Amino acid sequence: MDELRDMLTEHGATLVGYADLSPLPAEVRAGLPRGVSLALALDPPIIAGIRNGPTAKYMELYRRSNALLTELAEAGAAFLRERGDRAEAWRATGGIDRGTLSVRTQHKTLATRAGLGWVGKCALLVTERWGSAVRFASILTDADLPVGEPVDESRCGECAACVDICPGEAPQGVNWRAGMERPEIFDAFACARHMRERQQRAGDDITICGMCIACCPYTLAYLRRSGIDPNAP
Ligand code: SF4
Ligand code: SF4
C-alpha cells in the first residue's frame, strides 16, 4: 500500500509499518485483522536535554507529537475508508484504564507486530534506528496490507541502562517476549507515582520524565548520528 505510506510520510510520519493482528484477541483490535503503525522520531536536541530529568521543552514536544500523530492516524483512517475499507484511528494518547494504567490497543503491540521494533525493559517501543526516541499512533483496519515480519523477542540483551537510571524503580530488569503482560517487565504505577511526587515537589505541569529514553544506547546512537554529543554538558 505505497499510496498510504507515501501520504503519511509526506504529512510528517517518520516510520510506517503494517501489522497482521489476527492472532490477537478480537477485543484488543476492534475485531479488525490488520493494523498500521506510524511513528514520529523525536527531536534529538530535546531528547539529549532530558538525560538528567524532564524539561518543559520535552513536555511541549510530547504534546505536539501526540497531536500530529493523532491527525496522521485520522487522515490515514479516512484514506482507507474512502477506498471502501473499514478503518479506525487509534490516537497517540488517551483511552487509559485508570485501574491498570493500560489501554485497549497498545501502539507498541502494533509496532512489534509490524516489525518496527521491540519492547524494551522500560516498556517503551525501541527501534534499531531511533532507539526509544519515537512516539506512535495506530490505525486498525481490514484493508489488505503487505504486513511486516513480527518482532517477538527483546534485543536489549544484557543492557540495563534504563533499569539503573529510573528514579521510580519501574523497570523490573526483565527481557520482553511477545505475549508477556506489562507488569512482568514494568511497574507502571511506580513510574506514575514517581512523576506525581516529582510534580508536587517542583510545582510544574510536567507529567512525564523520559530519562529512560535518553539513556538507551540505541537512542544515544541516534543522537550521535544527528551530530549531538550526548555527554556534552
Ligand atoms: S519515565 Fe522516568 S520514572 Fe518512568 S520509567 Fe522512565 S525513567 Fe522511570
Ligand atoms: S536502555 Fe537498554 S535495557 Fe533499556 S530499552 Fe534501551 S536497550 Fe533495552
Side-chain angles (χ1 to χ4, degrees), residues 200-230:
Q200 281 165 359
R201 279 195 306 276
D204 59 27
D205 69 345
I206 297 175
T207 55
I208 49 170
C209 161
M211 291 170 73
C212 47
I213 299 174
C215 74
C216 178
Y218 291 95
T219 305
L220 292 173
Y222 163 49
L223 298 185
R224 287 193 196 95
R225 282 197 309 276
S226 306
I228 290 176
D229 175 2

Side-chain angles (χ1 to χ4, degrees), residues 118 120-122 126 155-156 159-163 212 215-218:
W118 66 98
K121 287 175 183 164
C122 55
V126 186
R155 295 175 190 164
C156 292
C159 176
C162 60
V163 182
C212 47
C215 74
C216 178
Y218 291 95

Side-chain angles (χ1 to χ4, degrees), residues 23 59 139:
M59 192 73 210
I139 303 165

Side-chain angles (χ1 to χ4, degrees), residues 11 20 25 29 59 68 83-84 96 102 137 148 166 175 179-180 194 210 215:
H11 287 81
D20 174 13
R29 52 184 172 83
M59 192 73 210
L68 175 56
R83 282 170 27 106
I96 290 183
S102 190
C166 176
N175 269 326
M180 284 175 94
H194 166 76
C215 74

Side-chain angles (χ1 to χ4, degrees), residues 5-232:
R5 190 186 302 272
D6 290 348
M7 187 274 283
L8 292 169
T9 50
E10 274 167 23
H11 287 81
T14 311
L15 187 61
V16 178
Y18 302 135
D20 174 13
L21 303 181
S22 57
L24 304 179
E27 62 272 17
V28 305
R29 52 184 172 83
L32 294 165
R34 281 170 290 279
V36 181
S37 177
L38 53 119
L40 284 185
L42 300 177
D43 186 65
I46 295 178
I47 294 303
I50 57 172
R51 282 171 305 165
N52 301 315
T55 64
K57 274 189 182 170
Y58 174 58
M59 192 73 210
E60 201 273 326
L61 174 67
Y62 177 85
R63 291 190 176 117
R64 190 158 27 96
S65 303
N66 289 344
L68 175 56
L69 282 164
T70 297
E71 277 177 29
L72 287 169
E74 284 169 356
F79 177 95
L80 291 169
R81 285 194 294 267
E82 275 169 27
R83 282 170 27 106
D85 299 311
R86 290 174 63 202
E88 177 186 314
W90 191 242
R91 53 187 301 134
T93 54
I96 290 183
D97 178 328
R98 293 286 155 201
T100 61
L101 294 185
S102 190
V103 295
R104 182 199 72 188
T105 308
Q106 297 269 345
H107 297 304
K108 54 197 157 196
T109 302
L110 265 83
T112 59
R113 296 286 314 163
L116 302 184
W118 66 98
V119 178
K121 287 175 183 164
C122 55
L124 293 169
L125 196 285
V126 186
T127 62
E128 296 272 0
R129 186 163 166 195
W130 296 281
S132 47
V134 277
R135 288 207 54 77
F136 285 86
S138 308
I139 303 165
L140 302 170
T141 183
D142 64 356
D144 186 16
L145 301 171
V147 297
E149 184 69 29
V151 175
D152 288 331
E153 288 198 344
S154 170
R155 295 175 190 164
C156 292
E158 297 299 313
C159 176
C162 60
V163 182
D164 295 340
I165 207 166
C166 176
E169 301 183 357
Q172 304 298 297
V174 174
N175 269 326
W176 165 86
R177 288 186 319 281
M180 284 175 94
E181 297 292 334
R182 186 175 63 185
E184 294 179 66
I185 63 169
F186 185 80
D187 184 348
F189 292 95
C191 172
R193 187 166 52 246
H194 166 76
M195 289 311 303
R196 201 167 47 245
E197 290 170 0
R198 192 217 66 84
Q199 194 183 8
Q200 281 165 359
R201 279 195 306 276
D204 59 27
D205 69 345
I206 297 175
T207 55
I208 49 170
C209 161
M211 291 170 73
C212 47
I213 299 174
C215 74
C216 178
Y218 291 95
T219 305
L220 292 173
Y222 163 49
L223 298 185
R224 287 193 196 95
R225 282 197 309 276
S226 306
I228 290 176
D229 175 2
N231 298 317

